[in-house]
């Protein structure tokens, strides 16, 4: 793995039905599927959380930008609309709208657009991330431990 490793892995376990729990440090994040997809709609789906991660990251960066420049941030709102695709099943497009209660000069607006595009989640989605997968079978893990 290149770059700085995450200190602890995020561990995801099955709870019931289509519901899973992800342990992220001391935080427990639940995912579920919509009723249409066979779940109980008790939590956001993983792809909804991906869109929420993007919106939250952008909101943080916009907030920090506004705060550092004395711009009003009351009413700051980031809306993320996801368009799905198939073959392979994925999010094809994420449309982001940043709503801010301040009138911006063209120069500040340009700087803010650069800030939005600099958040780590945006950069990960825009530039991709290597994803490696390993299958650890229980019997093989027990044999290796003996």
């Amino acid at each position: 793995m290149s770059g700085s490793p995450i200190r602890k892995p995020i561990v995801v376990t099955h709870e019931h039905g289509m519901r899973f729990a992800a342990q992220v440090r001391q935080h427990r994040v639940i995912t579920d599927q919509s009723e249409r997809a066979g779940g109980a709609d008790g939590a956001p789906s993983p792809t909804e959380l991906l869109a929420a991660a993007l919106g939250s990251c952008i909101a943080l960066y916009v907030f920090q930008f506004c705060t550092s420049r004395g711009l009003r941030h009351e009413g700051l709102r980031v809306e993320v609309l996801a368009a799905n695709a198939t073959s392979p099943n994925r999010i094809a497009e994420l449309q982001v709208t940043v709503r801010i209660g301040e009138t911006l000069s063209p120069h500040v607006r340009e700087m803010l657009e650069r800030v939005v595009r600099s958040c780590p989640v945006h950069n990960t989605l825009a530039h991709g991330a290597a994803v490696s997968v390993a299958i650890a079978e229980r019997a093989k893990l027990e044999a290796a431990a003996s």
Side-chain angles (χ1 to χ4, degrees):
M1 179 186 305
S2 62
S4 299
I6 296 174
R7 301 228 184 265
K8 286 187 172 183
I10 295 170
V11 178
V12 180
T13 55
H14 179 249
E15 292 205 329
H16 57 82
M18 304 287 270
R19 183 181 173 106
F20 293 83
Q23 192 66 39
V24 184
R25 298 189 325 272
Q26 72 272 21
H27 310 286
R28 194 165 172 264
V29 179
I30 303 299
T31 63
D32 198 357
Q33 294 295 310
S34 67
E35 288 179 0
R36 193 186 88 217
D41 201 15
S45 72
T47 53
E48 289 168 328
L49 286 181
L50 181 65
L54 175 62
S56 299
C57 190
I58 289 172
L60 171 65
Y61 273 54
V62 170
F63 172 80
Q64 291 175 327
F65 175 83
C66 290
T67 301
S68 70
R69 285 169 177 70
L71 300 172
R72 290 183 24 239
H73 54 76
E74 296 79 18
L76 168 63
R77 178 180 168 126
V78 177
E79 300 169 2
V80 182
L81 182 61
N84 294 325
T86 56
S87 296
N89 187 14
R90 67 193 186 286
I91 296 173
E93 182 181 5
L94 293 162
Q95 298 172 353
V96 178
T97 302
V98 177
R99 299 197 185 280
I100 189 164
E102 182 87 25
T103 302
L104 306 174
S105 71
H107 175 69
V108 172
R109 182 184 186 96
E110 182 181 309
M111 288 184 349
L112 184 56
E113 287 175 0
R114 281 197 309 269
V115 165
V116 166
R117 287 182 172 81
S118 70
C119 95
V121 177
H122 176 277
N123 282 334
T124 300
L125 293 169
H127 300 284
V131 178
S132 61
V133 177
I135 307 299
E137 298 174 56
R138 183 180 197 173
K140 290 181 182 177
L141 290 173
E142 290 172 353
S146 344

